[in-house]
Amino acid sequence: MNPSAALSAFQARLKSTQILCTTDDMAPFLCDWRKRYFGNALAVLLPSNTPELAEIVQICTEFGIALVPQGGNTGLCGGATPDQSGTQVVVSLKRMNQIRGLDIDNQTITVEAGCVLQTIQEAAAAQDLLFPLSLGAEGSCCIGGNLATNAGGTNVLRYGNARDLCLGLEVVTAQGKIWNGLRGLRKDNTGYDLRDLFIGSEGTLGIITAAVLKLYPMPVCQWTSLVATPSIPATIQLLNLFKQKATTLLTGFEMMTAESLALTEKQFPQMRNPLGENPPFTVLIEFSDHESEAHARNLVESILAEALELGIASNAIIASSIAQANTFWQMREHITLAQAQEGANLKHDITIPLSALDNFISATDAVLRAKYPQVRIINFGHLGDGNLHYNVAAPVGTDSAIFNQANETSVHDIIYGMVEKFGGSISAEHGIGQLKLHDLRAHKGAIAHDLMATIKTALDPLNILNPNKVLPTNAN
Ligand SMILES: Cc1cc2nc3c(=O)[nH]c(=O)nc-3n(C[C@H](O)[C@H](O)[C@H](O)COP(=O)(O)OP(=O)(O)OC[C@H]3O[C@@H](n4cnc5c(N)ncnc54)[C@H](O)[C@@H]3O)c2cc1C
């Protein structure tokens, strides 16, 4: 490894404005969104196009320098934060943010990795088309990061996750070569699917520089409602009622517990639940119709009436304007922000088969409360996908940093043990990063873990792409 020679080579290749080296300039790139991981770096590099990025990787290969790709830096597993050695470079894709083209006939858009998700949504909307990936960080996360983490979000129920929305990729390999797989094909059975290998690999197998994404017809209207439910089984019955009656018109189904909304209201007093006192569960339902407003409204009203009659819902309110629908969504999205403001908490982004969800929650709550009686359990999530954010906050009046440091491993072990028992996954949508690095082997099993390590070694034999993320360095 020769960091000073590498730095000279970067300086010879890039403009001075594309290399950040001072502590102040680099600071925003060296810690994660949750302020949980803090790293150091040799430099932060800001390439403006794919050939430039390929040359950066070639220099890194030559001088044995590890790279950490970074998009919007909103990831929740520390995947975009360098280690503390000060020898790695952060490669920010933010300046590679062009929309290369929008194909109306093919219903695709080709974008560079640094495009902010919201910008892509807006570009599609300008052509009356929908790019359905949507999540709380959409104003700052980048599509390269979304694909690298196979992001989920609020529309997975209808449109799938980032992987399902991507047809083609352009990638810079660990050798600094450019793989052009920017095809807008919906069928392409030509051997191993390289695209799917890079999606979800969190920058450990290649650097995504551009993508071809699927677009959909824009719905003519959306109806958003908040529904109070008494229990998890009732909430799942409500989901299935909507699936049965509304089929593909159901585009969002988000569950929030009374505890998670109480915390949101504490941190953001303007975020009051329009259903009144928080019921045990508040469900946000979004319904997108391609026919007419009247058709949608009649259908939503009739399904909600049936739910009330069946006793699986106790109250419901349909947003009367786009502004009100936005406030419903803000309530949901502010839970993550409220938790961050309240103090660090122990997050678990998990999936459980819906049929096991109720038993999972009761059993896990019981084991946790037996060991930590005063702990606060903040549950919410994309219930339509079986995705639960099962987060644990220190008891009120306790220093959260001290509590988390002392109990993190034990709390993780309890929850991940229960996830295994109930047939779930320890990462639904946020990835592995460094947060779950040491939990992966036990969860995936030795064979799957070793196959992953074999792929990593084959594609990145020098281990220069985001080392010690997803797989521990010594697993290769
Ligand atoms: C308020 C809030 C709400 C969120 N809600 C959701 C949600 O609903 N669903 C969800 O899935 N996530 C959610 N997230 C997590 C986060 O926004 C997503 O993981 C997002 O996809 C990360 O994109 P990014 O550009 O910020 O990536 P970064 O944080 O910059 O990077 C994430 C990982 O991808 C790698 N990477 C980044 N760019 C590239 C690239 N071009 N090529 C290769 N590797 C790359 C990084 O090395 C790192 O490992 C939320 C985060 C916040 C803060």
Side-chain angles (χ1 to χ4, degrees), residues 33 68-76 78-80 93 113 134-137 140-154 202-204 206-209 332-333 336-337 382 389 429-430 433 466 469:
W33 188 85
V68 180
Q70 193 176 98
N73 200 16
T74 67
L76 299 175
L93 280 287
S134 176
L135 46 107
S140 42
C141 63
C142 299
I143 192 68
N146 300 146
L147 291 164
T149 57
N150 186 25
T154 53
E202 300 181 51
T204 62
I207 304 182
I208 297 168
T209 50
R332 162 67 182 84
E333 281 154 8
T336 308
L337 304 174
H382 314 296
H389 296 307
E429 58 176 12
H430 295 162
N466 219 0
K469 311 282 171 52

Side-chain angles (χ1 to χ4, degrees), residues 313-374:
S314 55
N315 194 2
I317 171 169
I318 300 177
S320 56
S321 62
I322 293 175
Q324 193 179 24
N326 289 341
T327 63
F328 292 1
W329 275 110
Q330 277 168 18
M331 224 171 81
R332 162 67 182 84
E333 281 154 8
H334 274 68
I335 301 174
T336 308
L337 304 174
Q339 289 179 105
Q341 268 186 215
E342 180 79 3
N345 58 82
L346 301 173
K347 287 188 187 296
H348 307 88
D349 159 45
I350 57 180
T351 4
I352 302 289
L354 281 175
S355 46
L357 192 64
D358 191 36
N359 289 338
F360 166 83
I361 293 177
S362 346
T364 310
D365 286 3
V367 177
L368 267 179
R369 294 225 185 274
K371 189 157 184 195
Y372 306 104
Q374 304 300 323

Side-chain angles (χ1 to χ4, degrees), residues 48-280:
S48 47
N49 56 52
T50 304
E52 217 166 66
L53 175 52
E55 281 190 61
I56 289 172
V57 179
Q58 287 161 19
I59 294 170
C60 288
T61 309
E62 187 182 343
F63 295 104
I65 300 298
L67 306 93
V68 180
Q70 193 176 98
N73 200 16
T74 67
L76 299 175
C77 294
T81 310
D83 70 12
Q84 295 188 337
S85 66
T87 61
Q88 302 187 328
V89 289
V90 173
V91 178
S92 168
L93 280 287
K94 276 190 168 174
R95 290 196 188 169
M96 293 176 53
N97 59 6
Q98 300 298 305
I99 293 180
R100 292 191 188 167
L102 192 151
D103 183 336
I104 292 180
D105 287 343
N106 202 38
Q107 304 225 321
T108 51
I109 186 167
T110 304
V111 297
E112 292 185 348
C115 276
V116 169
L117 174 56
Q118 194 174 328
T119 308
I120 300 171
Q121 295 166 345
E122 287 167 1
Q127 299 297 331
D128 206 24
L129 289 166
L130 174 75
F131 180 58
L133 187 67
S134 176
L135 46 107
E138 65 197 19
S140 42
C141 63
C142 299
I143 192 68
N146 300 146
L147 291 164
T149 57
N150 186 25
T154 53
N155 281 330
V156 174
L157 185 60
R158 164 70 180 89
Y159 298 100
N161 45 31
R163 185 187 301 283
D164 300 303
L165 298 171
C166 178
L167 293 173
L169 284 183
E170 179 188 83
V171 172
V172 171
T173 69
Q175 292 71 35
K177 293 183 179 161
I178 300 169
W179 172 56
N180 184 344
L182 284 177
R183 288 159 182 261
L185 304 175
R186 285 167 174 83
K187 286 189 171 178
D188 183 13
N189 266 347
T190 48
Y192 304 144
D193 196 326
L194 299 176
R195 175 198 59 200
D196 270 358
L197 205 53
F198 292 112
I199 295 175
S201 68
E202 300 181 51
T204 62
L205 300 181
I207 304 182
I208 297 168
T209 50
V212 184
L213 306 168
K214 285 186 204 167
L215 300 176
Y216 290 83
M218 185 68 89
V220 294
C221 64
Q222 286 186 315
W223 288 100
T224 311
S225 45
L226 286 179
V227 184
T229 63
S231 64
I232 289 286
T235 311
I236 293 170
Q237 272 180 271
L238 181 70
L239 170 67
N240 287 332
L241 183 68
F242 263 89
K243 278 184 175 171
Q244 186 201 352
K245 306 269 174 183
T247 62
T248 55
L249 303 189
L250 176 64
T251 46
F253 196 94
E254 300 286 314
M255 183 275 281
M256 303 166 273
T257 59
E259 293 79 7
S260 59
L261 289 180
L263 181 73
T264 307
E265 200 176 313
K266 179 180 164 199
Q267 292 296 337
F268 301 99
Q270 74 278 21
M271 298 274 155
R272 298 185 71 85
N273 191 340
L275 290 168
E277 195 180 325
N278 284 319

